[in-house]
Amino acid sequence: MCGIVGYVGGERCVGVLMEGLRHLEYRGYDSAGLALTLPGDEANGYHGTLDFVKRVGQLKNLAGALEETNGRLSGVKAGVGHTRWATHGRPSETNAHPHTSGEGEAAVAVVHNGIIENHAELRAGLEARGHAFVSETDTEVIAHLLAEGVGRGESLREALAETVGHLHGSFAVAAVCAAEPDTIAAARHQSPLVVGLGEGENYVASTVQALLGNTHEFLVVENGEIAVLTGGSVELSTLEGEPVEREPFEVEWDAEAVELGGYESYMLKEIHEQPAALGATLSGRLRPDGSVDLSEVDELLSGVERVVMVACGTAYHAGLVAKHAIESLARVPVEVVVASEYRYADPIGDGNTLVVPISQSGETSDTLAAVEAARGFGGRVLAVTNTQGSLITREADAVLLTKAGPEIGVAATKTFLAQLAVLELLALGLARTRESLPEEHLLGLGHELRRMPERVQETLELLGSEAGNAAIAAAVKVFEGARCSLFLGRGPSHPVALEGALKLKEISYLPSEGYPAGEMKHGPIALVDEYCPVVALLGEGVYREKTISNVEETVARGARVVAVAREGDSEARRMAAATLPLPESLAGMPEVLSPIVRTVPLQLLAYHVARDRGLDVDKPRNLAKSVTVE
Ligand code: M6R
């Protein structure tokens, strides 16, 4: 939620900041703004000045405003930028960051991601000392506190260290001031912040994605540290001023990975990147004979008696799929808990409890807090994340990295499938450690898992074929005029139904709920009529006949059904108004792995229903990709 970026060094400043914000826009798009330092001259005693451009709404509005500055900002060498997801104060130009305070040499500007919990108290104190507030934001207190320090003659570093000492809550901040026009100071507490290292220029941002076009070398900034950047130097220190030495880390993602690459949206691109995401995630972790190589986390798995998955949203659904896989293959009890509940639940566990936080971003504040709660009982923490160097990687005992590449679309797609792949590996790894299944059964499943990239590719090709397009168009038609929808599945298809419903509601704004098919008669069936489409995951084996009966019951009550079933499934075609086809070659695929494939048609369904309604699938209203506040 909210993205921050900073640049210091050369005259590319405005371009680098705007490029950075473009890659951070998934974090919020209520407003965007820049604060830039202009070099000093003889006339003003050689201190710099600050200039600002801010606009409400998406970044394109800020880009338009910059075009009207007619070269006023050329020659700028340092600045900070922000893209906002509003928490305190509605989206408006006044509430847009950067926030500023002070005059002349003491003028400061700050961008912030997070929430300052004691802002009201700080504001009262500042107002009593004569500061006039212009915005309704919590952030403005930071600007005034900083300006007080700089006004007393403190350096930007000293003023920021002192300011940070007054703040409660979560924050990543970057600040500039007129007195030091070639410097940026930044700090964080619980919100993410990285420093990017360049040649004669340096950067700071909420995530590495913002900077991949400029550098692949990064430094993590830890809680309680200040980073001071000039074009030629980066200094890390504690709030007390003790220097901190830290090795940089290299990020493998390339800059093209964060571009659209010819697709009309990131979501569509990311759906089509799923075979590659699965391939990269499985690579090196499954041997050719089908055995699992999880040497990276092996130690953590021995003696595990219980597993707890904690996650939010789509990642929570991945946890539910994992529960089914781990319990059925490894016979270990698994609990899956929404992280925002777990953190306050006073959870029960011991040193043999494996706690698995799942988080694409590795930044979700509730998931991080859930890890802290698990630490309270001495749980072993194995994080699943897609983001190298993210906060969660530093809180965990070990990490299983999904290798889906950067995901920009707010709706998670390829990272969900990559999470499923890694969690299926974990299930196989635990089953091997516990010897819960015969070796040849495990090797067979390993072989099947190795085939998943190819199976997803086949599914995408089928859905992208003429027949597939016609099927999707028919399914979209079923949703015309709908006022709600239900997604049904049993066993491992139940979490897929939940995920399908979440995808649809978040990008099309159509109320959609997922249920175990057997729950229908206990309430949800009351919703069913011709304006409440039912999306049915028929499944195979023990689940199929029962699911079909439940779906028939909805048809009898006027529901129009969209079935997800194999191409040649005549029973599905008989019942359904539209069938999203899966390749016939999936016959015999183990049900425990099926969520990896069955999710794909639901992602495309959500995508096309939203596009049919003329909506922006990459930036759905009210959402931000990384939820870094509670
Ligand atoms: O970064 P995380 O995996 O921790 O994010 C968790 C959820 O916020 C996320 O999955 C969210 O539900 C997505 N927008 C769903 O598409």
Side-chain angles (χ1 to χ4, degrees):
M1 321 219 114
C2 300
I4 66 171
V5 63
Y7 170 89
V8 55
E11 291 183 5
R12 313 188 302 130
C13 184
V14 173
V16 173
L17 292 177
M18 288 301 283
E19 177 73 2
L21 289 182
R22 188 163 69 81
H23 293 307
L24 290 172
E25 210 184 359
Y26 67 88
R27 301 174 73 90
Y29 25 86
D30 287 333
S31 64
L34 300 181
L36 303 157
T37 65
L38 299 164
D41 55 27
E42 202 176 347
N44 69 9
Y46 293 106
H47 70 68
T49 50
L50 299 184
D51 205 336
F52 303 88
V53 191
K54 306 184 197 184
R55 283 298 179 271
V56 177
Q58 295 188 10
L59 190 62
K60 57 185 180 206
N61 300 346
L62 179 66
L66 283 171
E67 275 168 25
E68 285 155 25
T69 56
N70 296 329
R72 185 180 91 217
L73 303 174
S74 62
V76 164
K77 291 193 180 152
V80 292
H82 188 267
T83 178
R84 178 168 189 243
W85 188 87
T87 58
H88 295 66
R90 71 201 157 82
S92 71
E93 215 160 290
T94 320
N95 288 332
H97 299 219
H99 288 284
T100 184
S101 179
E103 281 179 0
E105 214 173 345
V108 301
V110 67
V111 289
H112 165 222
N113 165 32
I115 289 182
I116 305 304
E117 285 165 4
N118 58 337
H119 72 100
E121 178 193 328
L122 291 171
R123 185 174 178 137
L126 283 157
E127 280 174 339
R129 298 199 291 280
H131 290 270
F133 278 72
V134 294
S135 79
E136 305 153 288
T137 67
D138 53 338
T139 304
E140 198 181 336
V141 296
I142 307 178
H144 291 301
L145 288 169
L146 258 180
E148 277 193 344
V150 172
R152 283 192 298 268
E154 292 169 6
S155 67
L156 184 57
R157 199 212 84 82
E158 289 164 336
L160 184 60
E162 177 153 349
T163 298
V164 160
H166 293 290
L167 307 178
H168 298 168
S170 59
F171 53 84
V173 291
V176 287
C177 75
E180 297 171 58
D182 301 321
T183 303
I184 295 176
R188 66 164 275 252
H189 182 73
Q190 313 218 309
S191 298
L193 185 71
V194 290
V195 167
L197 304 174
E199 297 274 327
E201 45 187 17
N202 289 302
Y203 322 83
V204 65
S206 298
T207 74
V208 299
Q209 266 128 287
L211 303 173
L212 289 177
N214 301 292
T215 183
H216 285 78
E217 216 185 342
F218 294 92
L219 274 180
V220 158
V221 183
E222 296 287 6
N223 286 344
E225 290 177 355
I226 303 271
V228 176
L229 289 70
T230 65
S233 66
V234 172
E235 284 170 13
L236 286 182
S237 57
T238 62
L239 295 188
E240 295 72 35
E242 287 298 315
V244 172
E245 295 295 327
R246 178 151 314 124
E247 283 300 307
F249 67 97
E250 194 84 23
V251 171
E252 289 162 15
W253 295 344
D254 57 20
E256 285 82 68
V258 291
E259 300 298 339
L260 273 172
Y263 283 90
E264 62 172 34
S265 69
Y266 283 109
M267 183 178 174
L268 195 59
K269 176 183 180 231
E270 287 156 4
I271 289 172
H272 284 89
E273 284 172 346
Q274 294 186 114
L278 287 170
T281 300
L282 293 172
S283 164
R285 289 164 168 163
L286 268 175
R287 301 189 190 92
D289 68 353
S291 60
V292 171
D293 179 352
L294 280 185
S295 39
E296 51 194 320
V297 300
D298 258 351
E299 234 173 83
L300 221 57
L301 304 189
S302 89
V304 165
E305 286 168 4
R306 192 172 150 247
V307 179
V308 182
M309 309 260 162
V310 287
C312 306
T314 287
Y316 170 74
H317 299 153
L320 292 173
V321 172
K323 174 181 166 71
H324 184 271
I326 294 174
E327 289 187 341
S328 62
L329 303 180
R331 309 302 295 157
V332 191
V334 182
E335 203 184 331
V336 191
V337 193
V338 167
S340 54
E341 290 297 313
Y342 192 78
R343 65 183 294 182
Y344 295 116
D346 192 8
I348 303 165
D350 59 25
N352 292 330
T353 306
L354 181 70
V355 178
V356 184
I358 310 166
S359 174
Q360 174 281 129
S361 60
E363 290 178 11
T364 301
S365 67
D366 283 324
T367 310
L368 289 163
V371 170
E372 214 176 301
R375 289 288 184 209
F377 61 74
R380 313 175 192 181
V381 179
L382 171 58
V384 172
T385 182
N386 197 46
T387 314
Q388 225 182 325
S390 59
L391 297 179
I392 216 158
T393 62
R394 312 210 284 283
E395 301 298 331
D397 296 312
V399 177
L400 274 175
L401 203 61
T402 54
K403 299 185 181 165
E407 186 175 73
I408 312 292
V410 165
T413 53
K414 63 175 178 171
T415 54
F416 177 63
L417 259 56
Q419 285 164 355
L420 298 189
V422 119
L423 292 165
E424 298 280 3
L425 282 169
L426 179 63
L428 292 175
L430 279 166
R432 187 200 50 204
T433 312
R434 297 169 59 85
E435 299 177 0
S436 54
L437 281 178
E439 182 72 6
E440 57 292 6
H441 188 155
L442 287 180
L443 294 180
L445 284 170
H447 269 298
E448 285 291 341
L449 188 52
R450 270 172 77 90
R451 295 189 60 193
M452 283 300 144
E454 168 202 327
R455 288 196 183 282
V456 168
Q457 181 63 37
E458 255 181 87
T459 306
L460 283 167
E461 280 167 19
L462 176 60
L463 290 162
S465 67
E466 206 175 311
N469 281 327
I472 293 175
V476 170
K477 211 160 173 42
V478 170
F479 278 82
E480 274 172 18
R483 54 169 174 72
C484 64
S485 71
L486 290 170
F487 285 65
L488 305 180
R490 283 176 180 253
S493 288
H494 166 229
V496 178
L498 296 178
E499 175 60 8
L502 175 62
K503 280 302 81 106
L504 186 66
K505 82 179 93 169
E506 74 179 322
I507 61 171
S508 74
Y509 318 145
L510 179 71
S512 311
E513 294 308 326
Y515 279 100
E519 268 293 287
M520 277 299 283
K521 291 196 283 290
H522 301 281
I525 202 164
L527 294 174
V528 167
D529 64 14
E530 63 190 296
Y531 302 107
C532 179
V534 169
V535 180
L537 293 140
L538 298 189
E540 303 281 353
V542 289
Y543 304 113
R544 182 178 160 87
E545 293 312 318
K546 304 283 178 202
T547 308
I548 288 177
S549 304
N550 298 136
V551 175
E552 291 282 19
E553 288 155 7
T554 69
V555 175
R557 282 152 185 86
R560 287 185 303 152
V561 171
V562 174
V564 176
R566 275 185 287 119
E567 237 184 325
D569 188 334
S570 49
E571 201 163 3
R573 286 185 190 280
R574 180 188 53 73
M575 281 189 315
T579 301
L580 296 173
L582 294 171
E584 269 310 308
S585 59
L586 298 184
M589 172 183 61
E591 201 54 15
V592 71
L593 301 178
S594 65
I596 296 180
V597 178
R598 286 206 191 115
T599 303
V600 176
L602 300 190
Q603 296 168 336
L604 285 167
L605 175 66
Y607 178 83
H608 287 286
V609 170
R611 294 293 294 136
D612 188 56
R613 294 175 174 220
L615 298 169
D616 181 343
V617 293
D618 284 339
K619 297 192 193 89
R621 72 182 179 203
N622 304 340
L623 289 172
K625 189 157 183 72
S626 298
V627 183
T628 54
V629 294
E630 248 190 282

